[in-house]
Amino acid sequence: MEAIQNLMAEHRVILRAIDALELFVQQAGRGVDDGREELGRFVTFVRGYADALHHGKEEEVLFVAMIDAGFSREQGPVAVMLHEHDVGREHVSILAGLAASVVPWTREDLQILQGAARAYAELLRAHIQKEDRILYPMAEQRLPPDVQAQVDAACATLDDSAGRDGTRGRLEQLGADLAARHASGLGEGVPA
């Protein structure tokens, strides 16, 4: 399925940004700089790309098709993925609150930052493996060809819309910038 191949490609983009988030948090924990603005950039990427664009296609298209084909919404793989999306949003909400803080972070704030970022990164890495290795193959095996084509078309429509208005390009560039900036774990001296 083309939609699943695109979702898996998006996973790679998300994972690079999550790696960068962990490196950023390590630097923030050493007091390298006041990272509220940079954390805000990560939150923008995660909420816009990982959640709205990527999880949006899963929740509005793929998972609906899977549920219509007999997968349970209350238990099993789709239910687990939906639950993990919600848990991830809780972690990101904590990060967003810290990014929006108008006062310098305290030692306690830094501990909360590190805990929420690490928990989110660990959750997402495991979540992506489950989708790539279990859920997506199940969808490809169990969804009838006509439903697969409908999923492909609906996801392509959402992708086209995000591409036309520039959202996808801006968010992918933001993710690439964050990954490049924090690839070495040094991040210092680079203007936000």
Side-chain angles (χ1 to χ4, degrees):
M1 289 176 64
E2 185 176 337
I4 286 178
Q5 294 308 311
N6 291 338
L7 289 167
M8 290 174 72
E10 290 170 357
H11 282 165
R12 307 291 78 75
V13 173
I14 293 165
L15 288 171
R16 283 191 293 276
I18 296 308
D19 290 345
L21 173 63
E22 283 193 308
L23 292 168
F24 160 74
V25 167
Q26 289 172 9
Q27 289 298 341
R30 291 188 208 112
V32 171
D33 63 14
D34 178 338
R36 291 174 291 174
E37 184 176 335
E38 187 72 348
L39 180 59
R41 290 166 35 100
F42 279 105
V43 169
T44 296
F45 173 80
V46 168
R47 284 186 166 167
Y49 190 86
D51 200 26
L53 291 178
H54 180 79
H55 291 162
K57 286 188 292 186
E58 290 175 336
E59 292 177 2
E60 296 169 24
V61 180
L62 179 62
F63 295 172
V64 170
M66 293 178 76
I67 291 165
D68 289 348
F71 287 81
S72 174
R73 183 178 178 81
E74 285 77 37
Q75 59 187 2
V78 173
V80 170
M81 296 301 102
L82 289 167
H83 172 71
E84 290 180 358
H85 287 182
D86 289 340
V87 172
R89 289 177 184 121
E90 291 170 14
H91 294 309
V92 174
S93 181
I94 293 167
L95 298 175
L98 289 167
S101 173
V102 295
V103 296
W105 289 333
T106 64
R107 184 176 305 266
E108 182 181 342
D109 291 335
L110 289 171
Q111 289 173 341
I112 292 168
L113 169 65
Q114 291 170 343
R118 286 188 183 125
Y120 181 67
E122 289 171 12
L123 172 78
L124 232 56
R125 286 189 186 105
H127 178 84
I128 285 170
Q129 280 195 358
K130 287 179 230 175
E131 286 183 340
D132 285 354
R133 295 181 182 174
I134 299 167
L135 185 80
Y136 293 166
M138 289 175 83
E140 289 180 313
Q141 290 169 0
R142 293 192 38 200
L143 292 178
D146 63 317
V147 174
Q148 289 185 23
Q150 291 169 2
V151 168
D152 284 346
C155 286
T157 298
L158 292 173
D159 284 337
D160 289 346
S161 176
R164 247 188 335 275
D165 72 8
T167 300
R168 174 176 290 282
R170 281 191 304 277
L171 291 168
E172 286 177 345
Q173 186 60 55
L174 175 58
D177 291 348
L178 291 166
R181 178 172 181 174
H182 298 283
S184 66
L186 295 176
E188 301 107 300
V190 180

